[in-house]
């Protein structure tokens, strides 16, 4: 008859095996997600951010080493995850749009001269929120083929404008999406209390008016407007004759998290030592 120690021991062994299998599966999925391209096709920006209503160029090209080895005509195919049909296809030195999804009709193009050199970058015109998603660019010729995944993100953003009157500094902005938040800071980086009104229109686009009262003259204030994807930072210089500003934009990046094996191996070693101790 098995002793209680043996029962506990073999229960721990089964648990460790099951846990190890789960870890291997998680790590395999993580590594497969991180492998977003084959060795011959790359992109300068795999997480581009497009301003709604404007054009965006999705980068896709052969590596230098692959480009010099190309023989024959180059073909390029763009597809989008969860979309029926193709985004764009260029083959036999001409667009092949029989299977193009209507969403991209008349809004996409590649550049034939660039394609011949192994550059299949895609121009999407008048970007909409529906264009957000994961695209696959595939480049092939008679002696090679490869692909790369590109995650296009969309947002709306614009440069704020400033005015000063009767000791009040006012910032105004339009065309922001997702919903932003604003912050005023003095020259030392201390957060100041402003009064802000947000307005959302029927298309989900936000505008704002933000005022900072009793400003000092002359002095410099920093105004930040940001959402999940975009941050606009404005340095405003208030003088007796008005206000001047300089605005810079920064954009969030997206990366695939890498799982650390040590996070799982340490608990496993503890379980193993406990199981051995029970025998």
């Amino acid at each position: 008859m098995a002793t209680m120690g043996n029962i506990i021991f073999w229960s721990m062994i089964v648990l460790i095996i099951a846990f190890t299998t789960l870890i291997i599966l998680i790590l395999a999925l993580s590594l497969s997600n991180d492998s977003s391209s084959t060795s011959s096709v790359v992109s300068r920006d795999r997480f581009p951010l497009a301003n709604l209503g404007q054009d965006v160029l999705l980068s896709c090209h052969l590596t230098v080493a692959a480009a010099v080895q190309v023989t024959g005509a180059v073909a390029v195919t763009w597809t989008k995850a969860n979309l029926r049909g193709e985004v764009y296809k260029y083959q036999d030195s001409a667009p092949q749009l029989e299977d193009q999804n209507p969403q991209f009709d008349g809004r996409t193009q590649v550049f034939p001269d660039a394609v011949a050199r192994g550059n299949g970058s895609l121009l999407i015109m008048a970007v909409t929120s529906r264009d957000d998603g994961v695209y696959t660019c595939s480049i092939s010729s008679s002696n090679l083929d490869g692909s790369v995944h590109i995650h296009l993100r969309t947002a709306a953003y614009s440069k704020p404008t400033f005015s000063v009157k009767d000791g009040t500094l006012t910032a105004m902005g339009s065309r922001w999406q997702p919903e932003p938040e604003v912050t005023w800071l003095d020259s030392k980086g201390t957060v100041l209390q402003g009064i802000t009104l947000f307005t959302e229109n029927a298309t989900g686009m936000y505008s704002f008016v933000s005022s900072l009262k009793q400003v000092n003259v002359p002095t410099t204030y920093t105004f930040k407007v940001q959402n999940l994807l975009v941050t606009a930072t404005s340095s405003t210089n208030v003088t007796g004759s008005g206000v001047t500003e300089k605005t810079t934009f920064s954009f969030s990046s997206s990366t695939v998290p890498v799982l650390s094996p040590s996070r799982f191996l340490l608990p496993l070693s503890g379980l193993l030592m406990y199981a051995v101790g029970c025998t």
Side-chain angles (χ1 to χ4, degrees):
M1 182 179 293
T3 64
M4 181 61 69
N6 285 336
I7 293 174
I8 295 176
F9 174 78
W10 288 110
S11 297
M12 290 296 105
I13 293 299
V14 171
L15 181 60
I16 290 170
I17 293 173
F19 197 23
T20 302
T21 302
L22 178 61
I23 293 169
I24 293 172
L25 178 61
I26 292 173
L27 290 174
L29 289 174
S30 176
L31 290 174
S32 65
N33 286 336
D34 194 45
S35 300
S36 61
S37 68
T38 59
S39 58
S40 59
V41 179
V42 294
S43 174
R44 288 191 299 274
D45 186 359
R46 293 194 298 108
F47 300 95
L49 179 65
N51 199 347
L52 292 173
Q54 298 184 10
D55 301 346
V56 64
L57 184 69
L58 303 187
S59 166
C60 173
H61 58 90
L62 294 174
T63 63
V64 174
V68 298
Q69 300 175 14
V70 170
T71 59
V74 176
V76 178
T77 302
W78 282 86
T79 58
K80 184 173 182 284
N82 303 316
L83 183 78
R84 184 172 299 178
E86 297 167 339
V87 175
Y88 196 90
K89 185 173 184 177
Y90 187 89
Q91 190 175 30
D92 297 328
S93 302
Q96 307 291 336
L97 306 180
E98 297 83 1
D99 296 325
Q100 185 180 49
N101 187 282
Q103 176 182 334
F104 295 97
D105 183 21
R107 299 177 51 235
T108 51
Q109 71 175 71
V110 297
F111 303 92
D113 291 343
V115 170
R117 299 191 299 271
N119 189 328
S121 297
L122 178 75
L123 178 67
I124 303 178
M125 293 169 273
V127 169
T128 72
S129 58
R130 294 177 61 202
D131 297 331
D132 194 298
V134 178
Y135 293 74
T136 299
C137 169
S138 301
I139 300 180
S140 62
S141 70
S142 60
N143 66 325
L144 61 82
D145 66 84
S147 62
V148 63
H149 302 307
I150 299 165
H151 185 182
L152 174 63
R153 301 164 300 157
T154 61
Y157 54 94
S158 61
K159 182 179 176 181
T161 59
F162 296 87
S163 62
V164 61
K165 183 178 180 181
D166 298 330
T168 298
L169 178 59
T170 300
M172 299 180 64
S174 60
R175 291 195 70 259
W176 278 84
Q177 189 186 73
E179 181 179 3
E181 59 183 28
V182 303
T183 307
W184 289 98
L185 304 99
D186 65 15
S187 58
K188 297 180 180 180
T190 303
V191 176
L192 304 175
Q193 187 65 45
I195 301 173
T196 304
L197 174 65
F198 291 98
T199 304
E200 181 184 7
N201 65 18
T203 64
M205 206 73 69
Y206 289 86
S207 60
F208 63 84
V209 177
S210 185
S211 298
L212 186 65
K213 295 182 178 297
Q214 298 179 345
V215 296
N216 297 320
V217 179
T219 194
T220 299
Y221 295 95
T222 298
F223 179 77
K224 287 188 177 182
V225 51
Q226 61 185 0
N227 56 29
L228 297 174
L229 298 172
V230 187
T231 299
T233 303
S234 301
S235 177
T236 62
N237 185 26
V238 182
T239 66
S241 58
V243 57
T244 58
E245 56 80 25
K246 181 179 180 181
T247 299
T248 58
F249 289 95
S250 59
F251 308 98
S252 70
S253 60
S254 180
T255 57
V256 178
V258 177
L259 300 177
S260 172
S262 63
R263 293 176 55 189
F264 304 99
L265 294 179
L266 289 177
L268 277 178
S269 62
L271 284 173
L272 182 59
M273 292 177 63
Y274 176 76
V276 172
C278 291
T279 57

